Amino acid sequence: MLILSLIFALAAFLIFFKITRHDIVGDDGHYAFRAIGYFDYLGSEKQTTPVEWFGYRPWWSYLSFHDHPPLVFFVQHIFFKIFGISVFASRLPFALAGLGSLLVIFFLSKKLENAAAALISTAALALNNYFIWTARVGYQESILLFFLLLGLLFFYKGFREDKYFIWSGIFFGLSFLSKYT
């Protein structure tokens, strides 16, 4: 348990160290802007949105965005409501999803192999630069990965007890609501 705590602390340090230092650019800023008001708008002539098509916001635009599923926008919107509009609030859900993914990898690896293999796989993920990067920026992949891993963990557990298959389906569904591709 001490080794897992050290791995988790190292990963938390790598993820949270100066998390607000770099600017929000590209998709990171684009997603945050849309999540602040939970509003499907791009401001682009090449890719228009429902509010531009109809001149008003249709009821179904609250259920999803025209180009992305709604879950990540909704989660980020909640974090903005709780913590205020800031770079930290923008990136916090993704950082927490990254840390959650580490725990899920540990439990999944432990079930598939043993505690030593679980520690090695968790440490390998905690030091993976792409994993750390996705947990530090506001891209959908961090939350997608978290739900996919939970789905895999409960899918595996479902072979031992049927009741876990429903949870597997729920988590795979949440991953689909995080990112389509």
Side-chain angles (χ1 to χ4, degrees):
M1 194 55 121
L2 175 63
I3 296 172
L4 178 62
S5 298
L6 291 172
I7 293 169
F8 196 77
L10 174 64
F13 173 77
L14 292 173
I15 291 170
F16 281 100
F17 181 71
K18 296 186 178 183
I19 195 169
T20 62
R21 184 173 183 189
H22 59 282
D23 292 334
I24 295 180
V25 294
D27 287 347
D28 189 1
H30 171 77
Y31 298 151
F33 171 76
R34 293 169 75 187
I36 289 171
Y38 194 73
F39 189 65
D40 186 11
Y41 182 74
L42 291 173
S44 168
E45 292 180 16
K46 298 195 186 277
Q47 188 177 6
T48 57
T49 60
V51 73
E52 294 167 297
W53 304 337
F54 302 109
Y56 63 93
R57 187 171 185 186
W59 67 269
W60 48 265
S61 71
Y62 292 92
L63 303 175
S64 186
F65 287 63
H66 79 285
D67 58 341
H68 291 291
L71 184 60
V72 173
F73 292 109
F74 183 72
V75 167
Q76 204 171 18
H77 177 73
I78 297 300
F79 274 73
F80 282 134
K81 290 287 188 190
I82 294 170
F83 299 106
I85 298 170
S86 68
V87 175
F88 181 75
S90 170
R91 294 188 176 139
L92 184 59
F94 307 99
L96 294 176
L99 291 176
S101 295
L102 281 171
L103 289 176
V104 177
I105 277 291
F106 175 78
F107 292 119
L108 182 60
S109 301
K110 190 174 177 185
K111 289 214 171 286
L112 291 173
E113 197 59 38
N114 57 43
L119 288 171
I120 291 168
S121 61
T122 305
L125 185 61
L127 295 173
N128 181 287
N129 64 339
Y130 184 71
F131 172 78
I132 296 298
W133 176 75
T134 59
R136 289 180 53 84
V137 296
Y139 291 169
Q140 298 166 330
E141 283 75 10
S142 185
I143 293 175
L144 167 72
L145 178 64
F146 174 68
F147 286 126
L148 278 175
L149 289 171
L150 273 174
L152 287 172
L153 175 64
F154 281 89
F155 185 73
Y156 180 78
K157 289 175 80 165
F159 286 107
R160 300 205 192 293
E161 292 183 56
D162 285 344
K163 67 181 181 179
Y164 291 113
F165 278 126
I166 188 72
W167 287 105
S168 175
I170 289 169
F171 290 126
F172 284 139
L174 288 171
S175 69
F176 190 68
L177 287 173
S178 298
K179 186 167 183 165
Y180 294 138
T181 56

